Amino acid sequence: AELRRLVQDVARVGELARELQDSAANLISRTSNEEQALRQRAVGLDADLRRIQTSVNAAVRRGGTLDAKDADKLDEELCRARWLISDGDVGSLLPNKSHGRFLKMFLGPINVRAIRKDVRLKVKEEYNNYRDRTAFMFLLFPSMLLLLRAWVWDGCFPAWPVQLYQAWLLFLYTSLALRENILRANGSDIRPWWIYHHYCAMLMALVSLTWEIKGQPDCASKQKGVQLFLEWAVMQAFAMLLQNRYQRQRLYTRIALGKARRMDVVWGETAGVDGQLWLLCPILFILQGFEAYVGMKLLLIASEGLVPEWQVVVCGILLVLMAVGNFANTVQTLMVKSRF
Amino acid sequence: AELRRLVQDVARVGELARELQDSAANLISRTSNEEQALRQRAVGLDADLRRIQTSVNAAVRRGGTLDAKDADKLDEELCRARWLISDGDVGSLLPNKSHGRFLKMFLGPINVRAIRKDVRLKVKEEYNNYRDRTAFMFLLFPSMLLLLRAWVWDGCFPAWPVQLYQAWLLFLYTSLALRENILRANGSDIRPWWIYHHYCAMLMALVSLTWEIKGQPDCASKQKGVQLFLEWAVMQAFAMLLQNRYQRQRLYTRIALGKARRMDVVWGETAGVDGQLWLLCPILFILQGFEAYVGMKLLLIASEGLVPEWQVVVCGILLVLMAVGNFANTVQTLMVKSRF
Ligand SMILES: CC(C)(COP(=O)(O)OP(=O)(O)OC[C@H]1O[C@@H](n2cnc3c(N)ncnc32)[C@H](O)[C@@H]1OP(=O)(O)O)[C@@H](O)C(=O)NCCC(=O)NCCS
Ligand SMILES: CC(C)(COP(=O)(O)OP(=O)(O)OC[C@H]1O[C@@H](n2cnc3c(N)ncnc32)[C@H](O)[C@@H]1OP(=O)(O)O)[C@@H](O)C(=O)NCCC(=O)NCCS
């Protein structure tokens, strides 16, 4: 009797499993058919939009029939329609835009785009949390090295703690660059420069790893480059902490306003956080100035022949490049924002 | 008239875009509801399966009512049912298993699992192609360095080409480790060791980057470690080329047989490629022996004090570790396969 019951149970669950599998296969194929249909409608509509936009532009150029106010209204409506297709729920069904070479290089051609919007927001939030967690380490690690050097190590870095730090830095920047590329694939509006900035920082961490850390005698002058590098890192950590605070509040405000979408910004984001930006930016400018100063100083050291390694030159150039790029992009961000 | 037509066109496409957006939102929410329902059924069924498996096991232990053949049949049916849930189309709807710490560290908690099976197979194929493309570089790069050293550089490596190579190696292994973790999340059966092996190789590339490459005088003996490292790399490239050839054929055979699923292997994969394995493995064993030899040699060099850097010791230990692990896992793979 017990055996019969067991056999029946097993047959029953086997049957249930097959049914479930059929339902799942059915759901997947049905969904992918419907997605396909929507995708075709989207592609068709996109072509229509382009055509009409061209006509509107032509009409505006010709003048006469269309006055400026009408043209603006038409433009706005077209823009809104385009945004619905590219960024709304339709957008998540469209074939993936290429994720960019960086992601492809590391991950291959996988899909990192989340379909549901709440998941996309969670990715962003997790990114902010990650930055918070690391910013702390980011400040602590180089500060400790600099303090230990003064108090314990007699003015002389031993090689391995510094190299450990540099390896960690390389990992950190790689991870940030990957995550930001993923955010971008999920529709974030991040300026390309902030990602390039992390590529530069990755390169710098890599180069600094090959940088030989010379010991006694006279290490203070031989290690000048390393010291400057660490001072830059401490300062970078401050920038990151400030920026995190601002970005987190910004995201929360946007979620609270239900405006976690790209175009809403263009349509007038006047949330309270933008005031903070005017407070944050002067500090950022000072830090960027310091970044350029450290870069110049490294180049100076190299040109004086105190530390004749190519690594010093490369790091110096990268720092100056990053400072200029950061400055230019911060200014551009401010200009775009102040236009609304 | 033209103006009116334009306004009408714009209004029409605006309307179409809104409709499309509504359809898409509708599809997404409908799908996610249905998925939710299936998920709940799957979770319930999973609990049932576990319960019944326990009863079967208990009955087998008690003996008497259940003879060995019946028990085997029940076990197989349960196993099949479990597999349908975990690995079939249902599996792709289940909440993501955690992707492992490595992916999370680099990418954050994003979903890298493809829902459709054909996409999953494409990921695997792309991984194989990637390995092919890099295996070529992997062989060429260190061979060139060794040849240039003998022919052009007078027996002495300059630092930067070697460091460039090591940086590339670090990137390559990171990328392979990421891709393999993604494959695993997509249901590949890859043994964890092959991934750990890439973590070790990443660590080794990182350590070798901090490895100071000394120049004249007497560089030949000072650079002994670097030379061994490069020779290991050349040999590793051969292993990779052979393995690629085998894995690619294996994938094609499995796709051709429609057996691109995990359990099919357990249920008797006796495809032609398994013969190749007995040809490949002796070569792999030789290469693994050489890997251990290089590792021991590095340790010997370090103990003799010829190259007193800690990097040499760490690389030596890692190489021996990798050789032992590779050997053990290749043997285990062979044992598992020969059991069927
Ligand atoms: C200037 C700054 C505060 C502007 O931030 P912002 O108001 O969020 O800028 P935007 O409105 O253009 O942001 C658009 C998107 O890019 C993101 N973003 C902006 N700057 C970013 C940065 N540096 N890193 C990562 N993401 C950034 C935003 O989060 C936003 O994402 P979303 O579309 O997913 O919401 C910010 O870019 C910044 O802190 N830059 C300075 C960094 C710096 O110089 N550091 C080094 C100092 S030495
Ligand atoms: C021994 C070996 C040939 C067995 O390969 P196999 O027959 O594919 O082994 P399995 O059947 O256990 O493979 C299971 C899965 O792991 C994958 N896999 C096995 N070994 C792998 C490896 N070294 N790297 C990446 N993936 C591997 C297979 O592709 C398969 O994936 P799938 O489930 O998606 O189809 C292979 O593991 C190998 O080449 N190892 C030796 C590597 C080595 O020692 N290199 C260094 C030499 S110094």
Side-chain angles (χ1 to χ4, degrees):
Chain A
E2 205 211 321
L3 176 61
R4 245 216 344 267
R5 202 173 46 76
L6 267 183
V7 172
Q8 274 173 2
D9 273 356
V10 170
R12 186 175 53 84
V13 289
E15 189 53 39
L16 282 177
R18 268 185 295 277
E19 272 172 25
L20 193 57
Q21 159 67 18
D22 287 346
S23 312
N26 184 291
L27 174 62
I28 289 177
S29 80
R30 206 154 25 90
T31 310
S32 91
N33 284 344
E34 287 190 49
E35 278 178 12
Q36 190 55 39
L38 286 182
R39 217 169 280 144
Q40 267 166 17
R41 271 168 67 190
V43 170
L45 191 53
D46 193 49
D48 275 3
L49 276 173
R50 264 174 233 281
R51 199 172 38 73
I52 294 172
Q53 182 82 64
T54 319
S55 316
V56 171
N57 291 350
V60 169
R61 258 200 312 281
R62 249 182 294 121
T65 47
L66 207 61
D67 67 28
K69 233 183 74 200
D70 284 339
D72 272 358
K73 248 176 73 186
L74 289 184
D75 264 344
E76 195 188 307
E77 190 142 355
L78 285 176
C79 179
R80 210 184 270 266
R82 218 170 22 237
W83 171 72
L84 274 177
I85 299 181
S86 68
D87 235 38
D89 292 322
V90 188
S92 61
L93 300 178
L94 286 181
N96 303 320
K97 281 168 260 171
S98 162
H99 290 333
R101 290 167 56 79
F102 189 77
L103 272 187
K104 218 167 183 170
M105 244 168 49
F106 273 92
L107 304 182
I110 64 153
N111 178 31
V112 292
R113 193 159 176 187
I115 289 194
R116 278 163 46 209
K117 211 167 43 205
D118 54 333
V119 176
R120 268 186 266 164
L121 277 180
K122 240 178 74 185
V123 172
K124 177 96 200 186
E125 232 179 282
E126 214 285 332
Y127 167 77
N128 282 346
N129 288 343
Y130 179 70
R131 284 184 67 118
D132 275 349
R133 267 177 285 141
T134 50
F136 181 70
M137 272 288 276
F138 202 18
L139 184 58
L140 201 72
F141 212 149
S143 316
M144 285 287 287
L145 287 176
L146 286 169
L147 289 180
L148 280 174
R149 168 171 170 275
W151 294 345
V152 182
W153 290 329
D154 257 344
C156 231
F157 292 111
W160 69 264
V162 177
Q163 286 169 340
L164 188 69
Y165 169 67
Q166 290 161 339
W168 178 76
L169 217 56
L170 178 60
F171 156 72
L172 176 70
Y173 281 124
T174 310
S175 156
L176 282 175
L178 283 170
R179 283 162 193 250
E180 278 157 14
N181 272 295
I182 290 173
L183 282 178
R184 225 153 91 107
N186 279 299
S188 165
D189 240 358
I190 179 170
R191 276 169 175 274
W193 167 260
W194 304 123
I195 301 184
Y196 297 150
H197 173 255
H198 284 152
Y199 299 159
C200 290
M202 275 171 74
L203 191 62
M204 200 155 102
L206 193 63
V207 167
S208 74
L209 266 173
T210 70
W211 184 328
E212 189 191 337
I213 289 157
K214 293 215 180 67
Q216 298 285 12
D218 193 23
C219 65
S221 78
K222 283 192 226 144
Q223 293 185 345
K224 195 83 195 141
V226 180
Q227 187 193 335
L228 281 169
F229 177 83
L230 289 174
E231 281 164 10
W232 164 76
V234 171
M235 175 223 66
Q236 184 78 6
F238 274 111
M240 194 151 157
L241 281 171
L242 284 174
Q243 195 195 330
N244 284 357
R245 237 180 71 93
Y246 162 78
Q247 299 281 14
R248 206 174 35 243
Q249 287 202 0
R250 182 154 180 260
L251 184 65
Y252 287 157
T253 323
R254 283 170 91 184
I255 291 178
L257 293 173
K259 284 188 174 177
R261 283 170 165 183
R262 193 192 298 196
M263 268 310 191
D264 297 321
V265 185
V266 180
W267 290 334
E269 176 194 40
T270 42
V273 276
D274 275 8
Q276 277 204 19
L277 195 58
W278 299 101
L279 221 114
L280 171 60
C281 279
I283 309 181
L284 283 179
F285 288 146
I286 294 173
L287 290 173
Q288 285 159 5
F290 185 61
E291 186 169 31
Y293 165 79
V294 171
M296 300 295 270
K297 194 119 181 220
L298 280 178
L299 289 178
L300 213 71
I301 288 178
S303 74
E304 278 171 0
L306 277 178
V307 187
E309 284 152 339
W310 63 267
Q311 285 93 337
V312 179
V313 181
V314 174
C315 284
I317 294 175
L318 280 174
L319 277 174
V320 173
L321 192 76
M322 286 195 282
V324 172
N326 284 343
F327 179 72
N329 278 275
T330 307
V331 170
Q332 275 175 27
T333 306
L334 284 179
M335 270 165 49
V336 169
K337 281 188 200 285
S338 65
R339 220 178 291 151
F340 295 100
Chain B
E2 203 211 324
L3 175 61
R4 244 217 342 269
R5 202 172 46 75
L6 266 183
V7 172
Q8 273 173 3
D9 273 356
V10 170
R12 185 176 53 82
V13 289
E15 189 53 39
L16 281 177
R18 267 184 297 277
E19 271 172 26
L20 192 56
Q21 159 66 19
D22 286 346
S23 313
N26 184 290
L27 174 63
I28 288 178
S29 80
R30 208 155 22 91
T31 310
S32 91
N33 285 343
E34 288 189 49
E35 278 179 12
Q36 189 56 40
L38 286 181
R39 219 170 276 145
Q40 267 165 17
R41 271 167 68 188
V43 170
L45 191 54
D46 194 48
D48 275 2
L49 275 173
R50 265 173 231 281
R51 201 171 39 72
I52 293 172
Q53 181 82 62
T54 319
S55 317
V56 170
N57 290 350
V60 169
R61 258 200 313 281
R62 249 183 294 120
T65 46
L66 206 63
D67 66 28
K69 234 184 73 197
D70 284 341
D72 272 1
K73 249 175 74 184
L74 290 184
D75 265 345
E76 195 188 306
E77 190 141 355
L78 284 176
C79 178
R80 210 184 270 266
R82 221 171 21 239
W83 170 71
L84 273 177
I85 299 180
S86 68
D87 236 39
D89 291 322
V90 189
S92 62
L93 300 178
L94 286 181
N96 302 320
K97 282 169 262 173
S98 160
H99 290 334
R101 290 164 57 78
F102 189 77
L103 273 187
K104 218 166 183 172
M105 244 167 49
F106 274 91
L107 303 183
I110 64 153
N111 178 33
V112 292
R113 192 158 177 188
I115 289 196
R116 276 162 49 208
K117 213 164 43 206
D118 54 332
V119 176
R120 269 188 263 163
L121 277 180
K122 240 179 73 184
V123 172
K124 176 97 200 184
E125 231 179 281
E126 214 286 331
Y127 166 78
N128 282 345
N129 288 343
Y130 179 71
R131 284 184 67 118
D132 276 349
R133 266 176 285 139
T134 50
F136 181 69
M137 272 288 276
F138 203 17
L139 183 59
L140 200 72
F141 212 149
S143 316
M144 285 286 288
L145 287 177
L146 286 169
L147 290 180
L148 280 174
R149 168 171 169 275
W151 295 345
V152 181
W153 291 328
D154 256 345
C156 233
F157 292 112
W160 69 263
V162 177
Q163 286 168 341
L164 188 69
Y165 169 66
Q166 289 162 340
W168 178 76
L169 218 54
L170 178 61
F171 156 72
L172 175 69
Y173 281 124
T174 309
S175 157
L176 282 175
L178 284 169
R179 282 160 193 250
E180 278 157 15
N181 272 294
I182 291 173
L183 282 178
R184 225 152 91 104
N186 279 299
S188 166
D189 239 357
I190 179 170
R191 279 171 172 272
W193 166 260
W194 304 124
I195 301 184
Y196 297 150
H197 174 255
H198 284 153
Y199 298 160
C200 290
M202 275 170 74
L203 192 62
M204 200 155 101
L206 193 63
V207 166
S208 74
L209 266 173
T210 70
W211 184 330
E212 189 191 334
I213 291 157
K214 294 215 179 67
Q216 297 287 9
D218 193 21
C219 65
S221 78
K222 284 192 225 143
Q223 293 184 345
K224 195 81 196 143
V226 180
Q227 188 193 334
L228 281 169
F229 177 83
L230 289 174
E231 280 164 13
W232 164 76
V234 172
M235 177 223 62
Q236 185 78 7
F238 274 111
M240 193 152 159
L241 282 171
L242 284 174
Q243 194 194 331
N244 283 359
R245 239 181 69 94
Y246 163 76
Q247 300 280 16
R248 206 176 34 242
Q249 287 203 0
R250 183 155 180 258
L251 183 66
Y252 286 157
T253 322
R254 284 170 90 184
I255 292 177
L257 294 172
K259 284 190 174 176
R261 284 172 167 181
R262 194 193 297 196
M263 268 311 189
D264 296 320
V265 185
V266 180
W267 290 336
E269 175 194 40
T270 42
V273 276
D274 276 7
Q276 278 203 17
L277 195 58
W278 299 100
L279 222 115
L280 171 60
C281 278
I283 309 181
L284 283 179
F285 288 144
I286 294 173
L287 290 173
Q288 285 159 6
F290 185 61
E291 185 169 30
Y293 166 78
V294 171
M296 300 295 271
K297 193 117 184 220
L298 280 179
L299 289 177
L300 212 73
I301 287 177
S303 72
E304 278 171 358
L306 278 178
V307 187
E309 285 152 340
W310 63 267
Q311 286 92 337
V312 179
V313 181
V314 173
C315 283
I317 294 174
L318 281 174
L319 277 174
V320 173
L321 192 77
M322 285 196 283
V324 172
N326 283 344
F327 179 70
N329 278 277
T330 307
V331 170
Q332 276 175 28
T333 305
L334 285 180
M335 270 164 50
V336 169
K337 279 187 200 287
S338 65
R339 221 179 289 151
F340 295 99

